[in-house]
Amino acid sequence: MTGRPGRTGKATKGGSQASAGDLLELVRSGRAVTRGALQQATGLSRATVGQRLDRLFRAGWLREGAGGPVDSPLGGRPSITLEFDDSHAVVLAADLDTRHARAAVLTLTGEILAEHSGTLVVEDGPEAVLGELGRWFAELLTKAGHRAEEVCGIGLAVPGPVDSETGRVVQPPIMPGWDGYDIRGRLSRAFTEHTGAGPVPVLVDNDANLMAYGEQRTGHPECSAFVLVKVSTGIGAGVVVDGSIFRGVDGGAGDIGHIRVGAEALCRCGSYGCLAAVASGGAVARRLAESGVPASSGSDVRDLLASGHPEAAALAREAGRRVGDVLATVVTLLNPGVLMIAGDLAGTPFLTGVRELLYQRALPRSTAHLDVVTSRLGERAGLVGAGALVVEHLYAPERVEERLSALGV
């Protein structure tokens, strides 16, 4: 979670315009990790760089690392490198699915310190679900050996479109009772109720977005156009362009599960013929149940696929072909370098089906430099992405200045 892979922002120039936050950004990204390199990148004097670094040291956000190489042919002392100190705080993250959730305590660089998963049904409503997450967080902090006062923020992934400005879900097809609800406020209160600590910032985003963010940053940092498709109870896509999540104007980007594909099946959104109605884990589960195979959700299908169930495999491949047909358009439009398939159906049968139709329907130009892969982080992708979202928000240059002032340094 260190730095901002995929971003090509220029080093700040202009003397006094380079703030302590800008210096921290340069160190975190690896673009300048010595005092001399910071001077060169920003145009600041040695004394000014020292003053601004001193604020970051006093806040506990920077530390000195090992000496770097000696650049001068005349020799001399090696330059002391600077490092982001990830030990001064921790992040809480949770990833909600329709019937299941995961929560974790993470370091500021993305290492999971403690983790819990269990049944949590979104149809029970936000009041109950978010209250339970608050209890999980309190227990996880104890397990990880960290105090609640060390938490700098909470990240939450949800299975619906999110307005990133407000943190509220917008008309979510599979989250009844959540539309427009103040998720940030309730989760912050639940954290306080169960830990006794003061309120902390809460960031909320769509689960596919955060999975894509986590996977791109950890496994494909050089990929400037990255697409992840999550196929579980529903279908959604996350898009990361130049290191940033692409959300559209109000958080609706990537909602490919509701593209019409010409079928007559009724979708949970109320429309007929949506991709999710015929190719999601929920749709495959319904078809299996109709043939006498016990299955009611994408996770049930995942278990059947893991056991080698032939009918589940055949239906998953068929679902993959339907999704691959839609993805041919997605790939043509976005020209990504990586297309990642994730979620309950992300196994060989489904992936085979995707590739069959994708390469058949897309122009060779669109797939010439495309890697079609499966998830590397698996069920932790949403947690890692949610944690990264919090860190990038809190340690952005403009926010660093606000937080340093609040700390009195």
Side-chain angles (χ1 to χ4, degrees):
M1 225 185 272
T2 54
R4 296 190 180 188
R7 296 192 181 184
T8 56
K10 296 180 181 178
T12 305
K13 291 281 187 181
S16 62
Q17 294 181 3
S19 66
D22 292 316
L23 299 191
L24 183 64
E25 171 80 352
L26 288 167
V27 173
R28 290 186 61 234
S29 67
R31 286 182 281 148
V33 296
T34 65
R35 289 169 173 82
L38 288 170
Q39 286 177 244
Q40 184 176 14
T42 63
L44 294 174
S45 69
R46 180 178 180 179
T48 303
V49 166
Q51 291 168 358
R52 295 183 180 172
L53 289 179
D54 182 60
R55 297 178 69 198
L56 297 170
F57 279 114
R58 282 187 284 145
W61 297 355
L62 274 188
R63 65 187 172 208
E64 291 187 340
V70 178
D71 295 329
S72 170
L74 300 178
R77 293 192 304 173
S79 300
I80 299 299
T81 59
L82 303 170
E83 300 175 349
F84 180 58
D85 189 342
D86 70 338
S87 66
H88 68 272
V90 293
V91 176
L92 295 174
D95 185 3
L96 290 180
D97 209 331
T98 53
R99 299 171 58 191
H100 185 268
R102 305 182 77 86
V105 181
L106 299 92
T107 69
L108 299 182
T109 47
E111 178 188 354
I112 293 180
L113 302 175
E115 184 178 5
H116 174 74
S117 64
T119 300
L120 209 53
V121 182
V122 293
E123 290 186 354
D124 289 343
E127 185 73 22
V129 169
L130 298 175
E132 181 67 2
L133 279 181
R135 186 179 69 81
W136 286 14
F137 285 150
E139 293 176 351
L140 282 167
L141 284 167
T142 299
K143 182 178 178 181
H146 283 272
R147 296 176 294 107
E149 290 74 18
E150 296 176 76
V151 175
C152 64
I154 300 172
L156 177 66
V158 297
V162 177
D163 182 336
S164 62
E165 293 298 316
T166 65
R168 299 171 187 250
V169 292
V170 182
Q171 300 177 357
I174 58 176
M175 299 179 71
W178 290 72
D179 186 21
Y181 184 85
D182 182 16
I183 295 175
R184 289 176 178 172
R186 175 66 183 112
L187 189 52
S188 181
R189 290 194 303 274
F191 169 75
T192 297
E193 290 164 7
H194 288 279
T195 65
V200 297
V202 176
L203 275 71
V204 186
D205 209 329
N206 171 261
D207 55 356
N209 282 349
L210 292 180
M211 290 173 69
Y213 197 45
E215 294 278 8
Q216 188 270 338
R217 291 172 63 84
T218 59
H220 303 273
E222 303 307 318
C223 181
S224 61
F226 179 96
V227 176
L228 177 143
V229 179
K230 179 186 178 183
V231 186
S232 292
T233 299
I235 300 176
V239 180
V240 179
V241 177
D242 290 334
S244 297
I245 298 171
F246 179 76
R247 299 182 176 90
V249 296
D250 63 1
D255 201 4
I256 66 170
H258 300 286
I259 292 175
R260 297 291 297 275
V261 293
E264 294 302 316
L266 176 63
C267 182
R268 292 182 66 172
C269 73
S271 297
Y272 285 88
C274 293
L275 179 65
V278 295
S280 65
V284 172
R286 283 192 298 275
R287 292 189 61 182
L288 287 168
E290 290 167 0
S291 65
V293 179
S296 61
S297 67
S299 59
D300 291 336
V301 177
R302 179 192 61 207
D303 294 341
L304 289 167
L305 290 171
S307 68
H309 193 282
E311 189 172 354
L315 290 175
R317 182 168 179 171
E318 180 184 331
R321 288 172 59 85
R322 286 186 175 274
V323 172
D325 197 8
V326 170
L327 290 180
T329 300
V330 172
V331 165
T332 301
L333 178 65
L334 297 178
N335 189 211
V338 175
L339 172 63
M340 178 174 285
I341 307 299
D344 292 330
L345 265 61
T348 300
F350 185 87
L351 192 63
T352 299
V354 167
R355 286 177 167 146
E356 286 174 356
L357 262 289
L358 173 62
Y359 289 109
Q360 177 183 325
R361 298 293 170 84
L363 291 173
R365 172 69 183 81
S366 300
T367 58
H369 301 100
L370 175 68
D371 289 331
V372 182
V373 300
T374 53
S375 171
R376 294 179 59 175
L377 295 175
E379 295 181 336
R380 291 179 164 180
L383 295 176
V384 172
L389 187 73
V390 171
V391 172
E392 291 304 329
H393 172 79
L394 292 179
Y395 294 92
E398 65 276 9
R399 212 151 283 108
V400 164
E401 289 303 307
E402 297 172 6
R403 297 177 65 208
L404 288 175
S405 297
L407 290 170
V409 299

